[in-house]
């Protein structure tokens, strides 16, 4: 396989922008599917789970492979709903490029911003595809303006639409200088014609803007542009590709996937502008023995194997499947690999190339590809696979903490074991889904990213694992923090006749400015505590941070420094210092004005003007604050921040207040102090 003609891409966007519909068209035009699967008919190939087909949403990212004009495209269709943002996060980690899909009417929506930030985080070059140009209110230029203003990107239009709304019939390609019309229903025979005369002025203006942007990237373009000479399509494509890979520009194209217009040109853009694995820097790893030792691996079959497990999925037929990106070397069937993260050896029984929920067996796979491996027993999301004699650990993935919890219990005693197995499998598959047991009540508590997330989990338990469960009321995942700096000590002394226990620590605790996370610092001097006991102190504090003093919630936003202490030559031990550290932490928390923190959600509501007052009034009644309002077509967009605890059942309330005409989306923003009267109720239970 020619790695230069390989594209690992993802389709990412806000919910309902048309990601899965676009993916289905790609599969159809590349010959992977012989007919088009529609989301609204529950027949989309990429939405292969029954739940996805019934609800018309994407829940898990599906991977597939297709061919286009000599290029191999590994395609991942990601969910748009914020509750499943982990699927986008881990896909972005292993992708080389992305297609960001925007609705021509909705423009840049909240989850558009989230996936854009995720792509920025992993330095993923992207192209923008403005979909739904056939919809009433479609505004191509308006969306390009929003990409610039709200995402801070530099969009460069390489196409302009011919017509809009119901008159949208095709696109003008500004690079090749041609008009492409879609006349037949399936869009399989596009007509290429000269550019219509009435578009001449618009084309001239758009081409000048394109070349002006490309002049900053390619000197040859700048010289020709300044001299007023013709710039060839080949040179323009080279400059666009260079600028896209360097993340200096974002080429923008348009179409209507549902009406089968523009998708072939989107595939051309993927091949022309998005990078192959060879265009990107080598992957960086660290030595398992010394994290200061940096190891580079190039996308080359002759280098040692390096591969990242970015997803674990439970397949109804194959069981546990590990999705793997091969960064270097080659992987062969029936060989052993080493998991440098867990320290386990794994046997590669099968190598599968995935086509959504269908698969093809391979004997070997080379650098650059994305594949699936069944039956890896000791491998989790984020683990690195490599040869035992050439180890490295690739940067793992980080996931947000859950913000909502509820209790589940089996309906019958017979369901108990099945529930345990199902929860274990689903938590392995989804790192943002956390299962724990409440020691006081004996209940099983499941936590996730939102009401829909947990609703889907419960539904999957019933369908895939045959478990009938009873579900408690949703609970908000509160946090605790401190408001002032304090000093405290913990002393653990126990004499039991023989050897005793002695641990003594003095700590200083201070709030962190950003209000996030937890930091530990060792500031001891002069050997007041021997170095071998410092890790035990750190471990004791790390465990203590998980349980605050107000309501036993995890503690965030603080820095703890170990400043002093003492030890006993005979009686001191690791466990004694660990307990002493925990005692010091509890003492410091009580003195540091602890406060309860609640998750605040960023909410965007799209409502007709007539209901604006009712919607804003309702937000205020939920302790929310409105941050801004925009006008989009004939609707109002309200942006604000509302505590999660006040948002349960909001979908039903919003529908009843607006006769079902308003929609909303929300995503976690930050933790903020809970008002005293609310905190009092929460802590009383």
């Amino acid at each position: 396989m020619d790695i230069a003609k390989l594209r690992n891409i993802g389709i990412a966007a806000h919910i309902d922008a048309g990601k899965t519909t676009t993916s289905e068209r790609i599969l159809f035009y590349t010959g992977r599917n012989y007919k088009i699967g529609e989301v609204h008919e529950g027949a989309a190939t990429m939405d292969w789970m029954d739940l996805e087909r019934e609800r018309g949403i994407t829940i898990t990212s599906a991977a597939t492979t297709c061919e286009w004009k000599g290029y191999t495209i590994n395609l991942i269709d990601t969910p748009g709903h914020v509750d499943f943002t982990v699927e986008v996060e881990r896909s972005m980690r292993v992708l080389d490029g992305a297609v960001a899909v925007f609705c021509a009417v909705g423009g840049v929506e909240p989850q558009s911003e989230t996936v854009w930030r995720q792509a920025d985080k992993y330095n993923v070059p992207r192209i923008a595809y403005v979909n739904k140009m056939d919809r009433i209110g479609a505004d191509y230029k308006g969306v390009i303006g929003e990409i610039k203003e709200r995402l801070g990107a530099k969009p460069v239009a390489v196409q302009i639409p011919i017509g809009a709304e119901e008159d949208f019939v095709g696109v003008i390609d500004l690079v090749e200088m041609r008009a492409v019309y879609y006349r037949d229903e399936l869009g399989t025979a596009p007509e290429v014609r000269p550019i219509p005369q009435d578009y001449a002025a618009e084309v001239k203006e758009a081409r000048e803007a394109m070349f002006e942007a490309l002049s900053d990237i390619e000197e040859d373009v700048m010289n020709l542009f300044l001299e007023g000479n013709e710039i060839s399509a080949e040179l323009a494509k080279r400059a666009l590709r260079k600028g896209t890979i360097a993340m200096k520009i974002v080429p923008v194209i348009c179409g209507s996937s549902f009406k089968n217009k523009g998708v072939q040109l989107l595939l051309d853009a993927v091949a022309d502008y998005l990078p192959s694995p060879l265009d990107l820097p080598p992957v960086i790893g660290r030595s398992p023995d010394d994290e200061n030792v940096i190891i580079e691996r190039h996308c080359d079959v002759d280098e040692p194997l390096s591969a990242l497990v970015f997803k674990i999925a439970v397949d109804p037929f194959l069981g546990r499947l590990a999705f793997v990106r091969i960064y270097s070397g080659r992987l062969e069937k029936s060989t052993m690999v080493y998991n440098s993260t867990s320290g386990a050896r794994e046997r590669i029984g099968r190598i599968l190339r995935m086509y959504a929920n269908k698969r093809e067996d391979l004997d070997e796979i080379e650098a650059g590809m994305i594949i699936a491996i069944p039956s890896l027993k000791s491998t989790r999301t984020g683990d690195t696979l490599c040869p035992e004699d050439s180890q490295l650990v690739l940067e793992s993935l980080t996931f947000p903490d859950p913000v909502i919890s509820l209790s589940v219990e089996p309906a019958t005693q017979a369901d108990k074991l099945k529930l345990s197995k199902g929860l274990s499998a689903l938590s392995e598959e989804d790192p943002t889904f956390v299962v724990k047991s409440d020691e006081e009540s004996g209940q099983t508590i499941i936590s996730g990213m939102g009401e829909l997330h947990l609703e889907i989990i419960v539904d999957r338990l019933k369908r895939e694992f045959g478990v009938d469960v009873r579900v408690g009321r949703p609970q908000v995942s509160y946090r605790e923090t401190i408001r002032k700096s304090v000093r405290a000590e913990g002393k653990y002394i126990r004499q039991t006749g023989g050897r005793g226990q002695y641990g003594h620590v003095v700590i200083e605790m201070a709030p962190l400015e950003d209000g996030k996370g937890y930091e530990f610092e060792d500031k001891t001097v002069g050997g007041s505590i021997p170095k071998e006991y410092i890790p035990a102190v750190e471990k004791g504090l790390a465990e203590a941070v998980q349980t605050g003093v107000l309501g036993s919630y995890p503690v965030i936003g603080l820095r703890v420094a170990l400043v002093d202490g003492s030890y006993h030559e005979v009686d001191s031990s690791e466990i004694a210092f660990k307990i002493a550290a925990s005692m010091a932490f509890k003492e410091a928390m009580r003195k540091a004005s602890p406060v309860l923190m609640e998750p605040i959600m960023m909410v965007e509501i799209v409502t007709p003007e007539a209901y604006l007052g009712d919607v804003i009034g309702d937000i205020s009644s939920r302790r929310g604050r409105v941050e801004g309002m925009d006008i989009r077509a004939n609707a109002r967009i309200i942006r604000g921040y509302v505590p999660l605890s006040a948002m349960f059942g909001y979908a039903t309330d919003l529908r009843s207040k607006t006769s079902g005409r308003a929609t909303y989306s929300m995503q976690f923003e930050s933790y903020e102090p809970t008002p005293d009267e609310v905190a009092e109720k929460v802590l009383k239970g």
Side-chain angles (χ1 to χ4, degrees), residues 60 80 181 203 209 232 256 258 276 286 432 444 573 587 595 663:
T60 63
Y181 290 85
V203 166
S232 68
S256 167
F258 182 57
S276 78
R286 295 179 186 275
T432 58
T444 299
S573 66
E587 175 66 21
V595 61
T663 59

Side-chain angles (χ1 to χ4, degrees), residues 538-553:
E538 190 173 356
K539 192 174 181 187
L541 290 168
E543 287 180 10
V545 163
Q546 299 306 312
T547 313
V549 296
L550 293 175
S552 298
Y553 297 108

Side-chain angles (χ1 to χ4, degrees), residues 413-676:
Q413 200 62 27
D415 282 330
K416 199 168 185 178
L417 183 60
K418 286 195 284 187
L419 175 63
S420 175
K421 279 185 178 174
L423 290 174
S424 174
L426 292 173
S427 63
E428 270 192 36
E429 188 177 308
D430 181 353
T432 58
F433 171 59
V434 177
V435 183
K436 64 179 180 182
S437 184
D438 186 321
E439 290 175 12
E440 287 182 20
S441 66
Q443 288 181 312
T444 299
I445 308 294
I446 62 173
S447 307
M449 301 307 295
E451 282 184 282
L452 179 63
H453 188 194
L454 295 183
E455 195 181 307
I456 295 291
I457 292 284
V458 170
D459 215 331
R460 288 186 67 187
L461 284 170
K462 291 176 182 174
R463 289 168 190 251
E464 294 172 33
F465 300 94
V467 189
D468 197 11
V469 292
R470 285 198 289 264
V471 179
R473 287 183 60 234
Q475 302 291 320
V476 173
S477 294
Y478 291 96
R479 296 286 185 268
E480 296 179 26
T481 194
I482 58 170
R483 284 183 280 202
K484 67 180 185 183
S485 300
V486 295
R487 186 182 176 102
E489 70 176 328
K491 193 177 276 191
Y492 180 68
I493 305 172
R494 177 159 294 182
Q495 293 300 139
T496 54
R499 182 180 170 180
Q501 296 282 2
Y502 183 94
H504 172 220
V505 301
V506 180
I507 62 170
E508 288 179 352
M509 185 186 282
L512 276 178
E513 283 179 23
D514 63 2
K516 297 175 185 174
Y518 154 72
E519 291 177 9
F520 170 76
E521 194 178 352
D522 174 19
K523 284 188 174 178
T524 54
V525 290
S528 55
I529 298 175
K531 288 295 175 197
E532 64 263 28
Y533 296 132
I534 303 296
V537 173
E538 190 173 356
K539 192 174 181 187
L541 290 168
E543 287 180 10
V545 163
Q546 299 306 312
T547 313
V549 296
L550 293 175
S552 298
Y553 297 108
V555 185
I556 59 170
L558 77 165
R559 178 189 289 111
V560 181
L562 175 63
V563 293
D564 202 359
S566 61
Y567 70 103
H568 189 280
E569 289 284 359
V570 178
D571 292 349
S572 282
S573 66
E574 288 188 359
I575 189 71
F577 272 100
K578 188 177 167 189
I579 293 169
S582 181
M583 291 166 67
F585 180 85
K586 292 280 188 272
E587 175 66 21
M589 276 292 293
R590 280 189 280 271
K591 289 160 63 175
S593 298
V595 61
L596 195 67
M597 305 283 278
E598 63 181 344
I600 304 295
M601 311 303 282
M602 194 269 276
V603 183
E604 181 171 293
I605 305 153
V606 182
T607 177
E609 179 86 42
Y611 304 105
L612 186 64
D614 290 344
V615 171
I616 290 176
D618 187 47
I619 289 173
S620 300
S621 73
R622 295 172 189 269
R623 296 193 287 121
R625 60 181 190 271
V626 174
E627 289 290 306
M629 279 187 283
D630 290 327
I631 297 173
R632 185 184 293 158
N634 55 352
R636 282 296 192 113
I637 301 154
I638 305 163
R639 291 188 188 84
Y641 298 96
V642 188
L644 173 61
S645 59
M647 289 300 286
F648 294 139
Y650 183 64
T652 307
D653 292 350
L654 183 65
R655 275 198 296 270
S656 64
K657 277 187 166 52
T658 62
S659 306
R661 291 175 64 197
T663 59
Y664 86 103
S665 61
M666 71 174 181
Q667 61 193 61
F668 172 72
E669 179 66 23
S670 62
Y671 277 95
E672 290 184 10
T674 311
D676 291 346

